[in-house]
């Protein structure tokens, strides 16, 4: 039957390298390449700060990912809660001593680097919950005590992030956590009830929203109500994408971004710029790469034998999917504007770091997919 | 069995649920693709247009206005270079600071200053704000000196209207001034070509020919960024200068007219009796239209507006005057044409005549004694004309007067404010005043008083159409290609005279048919018998060149300059019995009550070419005030005739 040896904990370096998932690796590398060129375009066709910094960060974090991939999946399992707790502490730190920029307090100064712990929390929450459910009997998943525990794990960082305030990241953390709860087998009726409660409490939630957040929702419902103010971003983004046409305006020729009509073109609206320059064909191609990455991660989940690895891969694959679809829907005017970066493409170190850590764990799961965790 | 660290049920749940979200993901991805498709493929055109609208911005440059030339090609309304100061508000960091700096440097008054600020609020931030339209050289160099710390300020060399002949052409050309809201609303072309500071014709020929004068805008198309900053010039298109318009007017004669009227209220018009070309047309007093170009000061404007001599009115076209005795040639002609009298008809003038219980006075208290028609015209005997107009009746007089150009606009659409005047008849009075015509009114109409009202230009046309032998002419003030030449017109007149004579023999002379036939032709005859015209002209000659003629003292003996004319003295106020007894001198009467002095003339008598009409408001008698002006005019007019002919033949060669 099965070769027991292959279940051994320790693989040699060569075996590990052989077990690397090259489809995922190449896809990420390819995405990194595209992101480099796109960033070059946002800088107006010059090798300026954003481009250089982005390429630098990608190289560093990509190498880091490969390095981290060599850690056994058991290490990540062991590290799960600690990682979560550290990030949670960071979040508290951020809320107390964080760096204030343009009305929000998201950053902490780690002396050698400034990071945004909320971005890392997107990974930490999946890791933590995966570990939590790893051992849990299916019967206990929907028990009151466990639901309470998981809710605490989930809600603590969300409150901290909402408090920064950073609605976009909070939503992404919540959806990452919820998808893990869903996959772990939490009774459907709870999802149904909480959905009902959400709908009913909507008016009260809106009452508590910051004025700018309310404005964003109103603007989403009708971008034309204030075309030069709140609706400006979404209108300009749609113009940019729409004017791209089938094949786009060409590399470095996106007038909307070049002439600075596009807001936040380095970060949240990078897809708009890409889509303007490369058109429908380019956008489908980019979407395809993301599709390959997402479904490759999910596939690694299916071949993983440990429940922890499986749950993490499913959870992380779904999370990437959320990042991508929320970001794209947002710039295409399908969702209100909430700050949410496009993984790898958007400029931002913390987001890149978190994404790469996630890929490292997935890669580790792939390398050790036969590994069981006691 | 395969070792696993979790139960089979757990696996089942996770796989089932993964499958569900897997499907959901594919659906959502497809949704995003659909959205991309709809934006980029279906609605691509719409967004492409929006993107171009975002990035491209057009700047219209001011059009260059066409010029006006006189008959000799001198520029009478041109364009000169002016130094202007422009600011584009959106390119200025601190507008308030800048504008205060400029106020100090240019020494702007508070009024001008607040006007500029108001204008800025109305305009779009990328539109040029004109701080000053006409900088002096000192101001211009001062600005250039400080330019380095006046970011956003542009000293510009621009063109502006200029009227080198100053007050001489004011009423003919009108003037230009900043386009206002009603200009934009009423004229689509102005609206389409509007740029900040655009000046358009407000009155006169400048207004009439606005659409051809205005020229087209040059266009600069720039790619701009989100902040409106110009990035690249994509396109530059030169504008086309407006059409140059040549007038029939002779500046030398026009200038003389102004000098001769010498700030008195009045008007002089001179016409070529064949071609209908207006050689001069002046209304006095006038004013310098250059004053209005850059905004006239309130004081200057009030001075012009409140002047009792009304410099703003174009008296030649809109002034309505009783023609006085200048109507007598037409009355005489009408009487002859209608066979009411013969040339030998005589009346005994006793200085006044009683009729219908009223007394009608002749201007000469002692009376003229027994006068025939020729002498009646020569000495302007009122009694004689009372008598013949009584016989003629106002309706027949009305027809003749209309035929010769009274009661109708002379230049038709060329001047929008030209007046029609009024030649009364019985029907007119009944329709408009609701009262029957009284015979006494016929008598005073016969000496050009009462309801009858004419413009000076109408009198000029009337004289021209008499002087050319009684042919219809078509007055014009613009020189255009393919206009009828003098020779052509003369030929047509001769032909019409011949055919009129032939038809006259065949048909009976009063037949309506005959006139309908004649009227269809250009330059048709206005007479029934050419001898009648000839007689009237001879009578006018004697009035000027024979002893006891009313304008004898203004005659020129040299046959080269010799002219013939008819004086007129139009009463402004009914002369009371007391005033008649006092017989005051003109100078003793209050200005507004003095008579208007009129004179119509044509010359040179042997081969007439020009007709003149002169009116001096409240100038006293026609013979003392108006006729001497004609003497000086004919001198210059005939001296310049050769030069004019030269231009004319050269012009026709060109065609």
């Amino acid at each position: 039957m099965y070769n027991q040896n292959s279940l051994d904990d320790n693989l040699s370096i060569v075996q590990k390298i052989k077990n690397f998932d090259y489809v995922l690796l190449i896809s990420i590398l390819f995405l990194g390449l595209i992101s480099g060129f796109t960033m070059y375009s946002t800088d107006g066709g010059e090798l300026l700060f954003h481009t250089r910094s982005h390429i630098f960060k990608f190289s560093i974090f990509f190498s880091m990912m490969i390095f981290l991939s060599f850690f056994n999946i058991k290490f990540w399992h062991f590290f799960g809660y600690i990682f979560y707790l550290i990030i949670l502490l960071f979040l508290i730190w951020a809320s107390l001593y964080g760096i204030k920029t343009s009305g929000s307090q998201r950053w902490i100064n780690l002396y050698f680097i400034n990071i945004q712990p909320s971005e890392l929390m997107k990974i930490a929450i999946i890791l933590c919950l995966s570990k939590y459910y790893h051992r849990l009997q299916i019967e206990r998943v929907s028990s009151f005590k466990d639901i309470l525990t998981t809710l605490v794990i989930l809600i603590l960082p969300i409150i901290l992030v909402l408090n920064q305030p950073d609605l976009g990241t909070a939503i992404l953390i919540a959806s990452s956590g919820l998808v893990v709860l869903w996959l772990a087998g939490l009774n459907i009726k709870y999802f149904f009830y909480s959905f009902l409660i959400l709908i009913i409490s909507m008016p009260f939630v809106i009452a508590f929203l910051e004025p700018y957040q309310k404005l964003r929702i109103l603007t989403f419902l009708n971008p034309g109500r204030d075309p030069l103010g709140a609706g400006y971003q979404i209108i300009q983004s749609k113009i940019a994408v729409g004017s791209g046409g089938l094949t786009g305006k060409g590399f470095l020729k996106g007038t909307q971004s070049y002439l600075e009509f596009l807001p936040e073109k380095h970060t949240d609206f990078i897809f708009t710029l890409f889509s303007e320059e490369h058109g429908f064909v380019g956008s489908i191609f980019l979407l395809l790469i993301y599709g390959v990455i997402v479904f490759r991660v999910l596939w690694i989940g299916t071949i993983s034998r440990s429940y922890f690895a499986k749950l993490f891969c499913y959870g992380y694959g779904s999370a990437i999917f959320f990042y991508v679809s929320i970001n794209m829907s947002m710039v295409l005017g399908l969702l209100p504007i909430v700050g949410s970066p496009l993984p790898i493409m958007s400029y931002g170190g913390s987001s890149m770091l978190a994404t790469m850590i996630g890929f490292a764990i997935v890669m580790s799961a792939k390398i050790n997919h036969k590994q069981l965790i006691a | 069995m395969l070792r696993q660290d979790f139960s089979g049920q757990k696996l089942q749940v996770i796989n089932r649920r993964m499958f569900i979200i897997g499907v959901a993901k594919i659906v959502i991805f497809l949704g995003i693709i659909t959205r991309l498709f709809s934006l980029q493929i279906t609605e691509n055109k719409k967004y492409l247009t929006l993107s171009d609208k975002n990035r491209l911005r057009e700047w219209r440059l001011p059009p260059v206005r066409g010029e006006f030339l006189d008959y000799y090609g001198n520029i009478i309304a041109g364009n000169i270079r002016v130094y202007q100061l422009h600011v584009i508000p959106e390119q200025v960091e601190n507008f308030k600071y800048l504008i205060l700096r400029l106020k100090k440097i240019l020494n702007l008054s508070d009024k001008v200053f607040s006007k500029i600020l108001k204008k800025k609020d109305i305009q779009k931030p990328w539109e040029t704000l004109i701080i000053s339209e006409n900088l002096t050289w000192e101001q211009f160099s001062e600005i250039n000196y400080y330019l380095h710390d006046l970011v956003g300020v542009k000293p510009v060399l621009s063109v502006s209207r200029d009227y080198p002949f100053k007050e001489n052409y004011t009423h003919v050309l009108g003037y230009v001034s900043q386009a206002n809201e009603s200009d934009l609303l009423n004229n689509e072309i102005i609206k389409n070509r509007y740029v900040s500071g655009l000046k358009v014709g407000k009155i006169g020929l400048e207004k009439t020919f606005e659409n051809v004068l205005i020229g087209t805008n040059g266009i600069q198309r720039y790619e701009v960024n989100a902040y409106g900053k110009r990035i690249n010039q994509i396109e530059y298109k030169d504008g086309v200068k407006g059409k140059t318009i040549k007038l029939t007017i002779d500046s030398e004669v026009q200038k003389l007219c102004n000098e001769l009227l010498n700030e008195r209220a009045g008007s002089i018009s001179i016409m070529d009796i064949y071609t209908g070309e207006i050689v001069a047309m002046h209304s006095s007093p006038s004013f310098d239209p250059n004053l209005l170009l850059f905004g006239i000061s309130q004081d200057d404007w009030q001075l012009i507006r409140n002047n009792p001599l009304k410099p703003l009115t174009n008296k030649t076209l809109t002034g309505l005057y009783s023609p006085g005795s200048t109507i007598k040639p037409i009355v005489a002609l009408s009487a002859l044409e209608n066979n009411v009298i013969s040339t030998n008809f005589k009346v005994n003038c006793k200085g006044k005549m009683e009729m219908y219980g009223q007394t009608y006075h002749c201007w000469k208290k002692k009376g003229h004694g027994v006068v025939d028609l020729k002498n009646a015209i020569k000495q302007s005997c009122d009694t004689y004309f009372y008598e013949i107009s009584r016989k003629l009746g106002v309706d027949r007089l009305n027809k003749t007067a209309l035929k010769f150009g009274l009661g109708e606009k002379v230049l038709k659409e060329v001047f929008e404010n030209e007046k029609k005047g009024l030649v009364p008849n019985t029907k007119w009075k009944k329709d408009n005043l609701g009262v029957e015509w009284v015979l006494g009114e016929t008598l005073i109409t016969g000496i050009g008083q009462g309801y009858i009202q004419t413009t000076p230009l109408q009198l000029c046309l009337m004289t021209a159409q008499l002087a050319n032998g009684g042919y219809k002419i078509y007055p014009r003030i613009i020189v255009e290609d393919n206009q009828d030449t003098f020779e052509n017109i003369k030929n047509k007149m001769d032909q019409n005279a011949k055919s009129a004579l032939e038809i006259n023999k065949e048909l009976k002379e009063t037949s309506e048919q005959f006139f309908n036939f004649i009227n269809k032709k250009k330059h048709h005859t206005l007479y029934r018998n050419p001898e009648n015209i000839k007689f009237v002209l001879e009578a006018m000659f004697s009035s000027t060149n024979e002893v006891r003629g009313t304008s004898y003292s203004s005659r020129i003996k040299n046959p080269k300059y010799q002219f013939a004319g008819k004086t007129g003295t139009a009463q402004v106020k009914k002369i009371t019995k007391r005033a008649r007894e006092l017989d005051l001198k003109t100078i003793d009467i209050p200005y507004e009550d003095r008579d208007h002095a009129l004179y119509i003339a044509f010359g040179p008598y042997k081969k007439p070419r020009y007709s003149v009409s002169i009116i001096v408001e409240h100038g006293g008698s026609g013979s003392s005030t108006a006729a001497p002006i004609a003497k000086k005019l004919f001198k210059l007019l005939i001296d310049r005739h050769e030069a004019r002919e030269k231009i004319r033949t050269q012009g026709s060669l060109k065609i």
Side-chain angles (χ1 to χ4, degrees), chain B residues 518-535:
Chain B
I518 290 287
N519 285 352
K520 274 179 206 146
K521 290 189 177 172
K522 261 196 130 187
H523 301 290
H524 60 80
T525 52
L526 300 170
Y527 54 78
R528 286 175 187 163
N529 184 354
E531 292 305 316
N532 294 337
I533 302 269
K534 228 170 130 192
F535 180 84

Side-chain angles (χ1 to χ4, degrees), chain A residues 133 136 182 186 259 305, chain B residues 2 10 17 25 35 54 226:
Chain A
Y133 285 118
L136 215 58
W182 162 267
L186 187 67
L259 298 170
R305 288 174 68 181
Chain B
L2 180 66
K10 222 173 164 183
R17 292 202 168 180
K25 279 170 197 170
R35 176 65 168 182
N54 257 345

Side-chain angles (χ1 to χ4, degrees), chain B residues 260-261 264 268 554 614 616 625-634:
Chain B
L260 291 174
L261 284 170
R264 285 176 293 178
I268 296 178
S554 302
I614 298 159
V616 180
T625 312
I629 292 177
K631 184 177 178 180
K632 287 176 185 150
L633 272 178
F634 272 107

